[in-house]
């Protein structure tokens, strides 16, 4: 009759992922309530567009900063704030679900702080690459570059696991290959845009950063350098 009182049928979500998800949901709920006139009065209908203008990442603004050599904080903040602003409820819903799924897997292995760094740093790199490549559609918004960074972390963990099993490690890249194929299909059907560049950059940076952020990662790298 001794059952562990703290056993859960489903493992609880890591706190850092819950916090990120609630922030995304909270902002999206504010936009929806404003659009329906429940919150903020008549001017609340334009809250989403105002937030995109104030907090979304803009490639043309980034180009202006590089040309002028000016880096005001009101624009630098966009590298981190754009991931919490979405173009629609569906956009936020898909991003939030992917954040929960990939974030749970990664954060159960990585430290909480490392998961947060992986998510945010991948989003920043994604915006940076987008800023150089994507001025024809200058606005970048949504959590996807950060989520793709988590996919990079997930891929790294699968890559390690397959290596330990003696299996072919390229199979770890199946998920990102499938997602990129879907991006291509949707681009052909509905018109492509350069936001996929930010996603790919987020994935690549997430995978590379995982070598340093994974448990014991930095120690392993130092050991390899010493033995060369």
């Amino acid at each position: 009759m001794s059952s562990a009182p703290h056993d859960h049928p489903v493992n609880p979500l890591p706190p850092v992922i819950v916090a990120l998800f609630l922030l995304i949901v909270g902002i999206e709920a504010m936009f929806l309530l404003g659009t329906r006139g429940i919150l903020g009065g008549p001017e609340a209908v334009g809250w989403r567009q105002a937030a995109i203008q104030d907090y979304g990442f803009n490639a043309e603004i980034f180009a202006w900063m590089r040309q002028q050599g000016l880096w005001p904080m009101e624009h630098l903040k966009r590298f981190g704030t754009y991931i919490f602003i979405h173009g629609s409820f569906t956009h936020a819903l898909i991003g939030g679900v992917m954040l929960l799924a990939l974030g749970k897997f990664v954060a159960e292995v990585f430290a909480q702080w490392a998961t947060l760094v992986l998510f945010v740093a991948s989003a920043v790199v994604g915006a940076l690459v987008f800023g150089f490549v994507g001025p024809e559609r200058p606005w970048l918004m949504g959590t996807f570059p950060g989520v793709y960074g988590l996919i990079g972390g997930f891929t790294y963990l699968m890559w390690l696991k397959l290596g330990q099993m003696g299996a072919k490690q390229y199979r770890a890249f199946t998920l990102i290959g499938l997602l990129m194929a879907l991006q291509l299909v949707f681009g052909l059907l509905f018109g492509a845009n350069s936001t996929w560049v930010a996603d790919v950059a987020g994935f690549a940076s997430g995978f590379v950063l995982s070598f340093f952020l994974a448990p014991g990662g930095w120690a392993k790298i130092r050991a390899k350098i010493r033995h060369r």
Side-chain angles (χ1 to χ4, degrees):
M1 300 296 292
S2 61
S3 59
H6 298 295
D7 285 350
H8 299 278
V10 178
N11 291 333
L13 288 166
V16 65
I17 298 301
V18 173
L20 289 170
F21 179 76
L22 290 178
L23 183 56
I24 292 170
V25 169
I27 292 172
E28 189 59 32
M30 183 183 69
F31 292 154
L32 289 175
L33 292 174
T35 301
R36 286 162 174 73
I38 301 173
L39 188 68
E43 67 276 7
V45 175
W47 276 355
R48 187 187 300 276
Q49 287 303 316
I52 292 172
Q53 294 286 331
D54 292 339
Y55 299 102
F57 181 82
N58 185 284
E60 293 177 349
I61 293 176
F62 180 55
W64 173 84
M65 289 193 292
R66 298 198 316 271
Q67 292 167 2
Q68 300 297 320
L70 299 174
W71 307 94
M73 186 54 64
E74 65 175 310
H75 295 316
L76 284 177
K77 71 183 181 185
R78 297 174 184 272
F79 281 94
T81 57
Y82 82 90
I83 52 180
F84 301 107
I85 308 297
H86 294 80
S88 67
F89 171 77
T90 303
H91 188 203
L93 177 63
I94 296 173
V97 169
M98 291 182 68
L99 171 65
L100 290 177
L102 275 303
K104 182 179 187 300
F105 188 93
V106 172
E108 286 179 346
V109 179
F110 285 52
Q112 297 289 297
W113 67 267
T115 303
L116 181 61
V117 169
L118 184 70
F119 177 78
V120 174
S122 298
V124 170
V125 173
L128 187 64
V129 174
F130 176 83
F132 284 103
V133 177
E136 78 280 358
R137 289 195 180 183
W139 287 105
L140 177 66
M141 69 197 81
T143 191
F144 284 99
V147 168
Y148 270 77
L150 294 176
I151 295 173
F154 169 83
T155 302
Y156 170 80
L157 294 174
M158 293 302 297
W159 181 78
L160 282 183
K161 183 177 180 180
L162 290 170
Q164 293 167 356
M165 295 169 56
K168 297 178 180 178
Q169 289 180 286
Y170 70 82
R171 289 166 49 195
F173 296 89
T174 301
L175 177 59
I176 187 62
L178 176 61
L179 290 173
M180 287 297 99
L182 289 174
Q183 290 254 19
L184 176 61
V185 171
F186 281 112
L188 292 174
L189 291 176
F190 304 108
N193 61 64
S194 53
T195 57
W196 65 269
V197 174
D199 297 339
V200 172
F203 167 80
S205 58
F207 183 76
V208 172
L209 283 170
S210 295
F211 283 86
F212 300 90
L213 295 175
W218 179 238
K220 292 177 183 176
I221 291 172
R222 289 175 60 187
K224 286 184 179 181
I225 293 174
R226 286 174 180 171
H227 285 86
R228 284 185 177 180

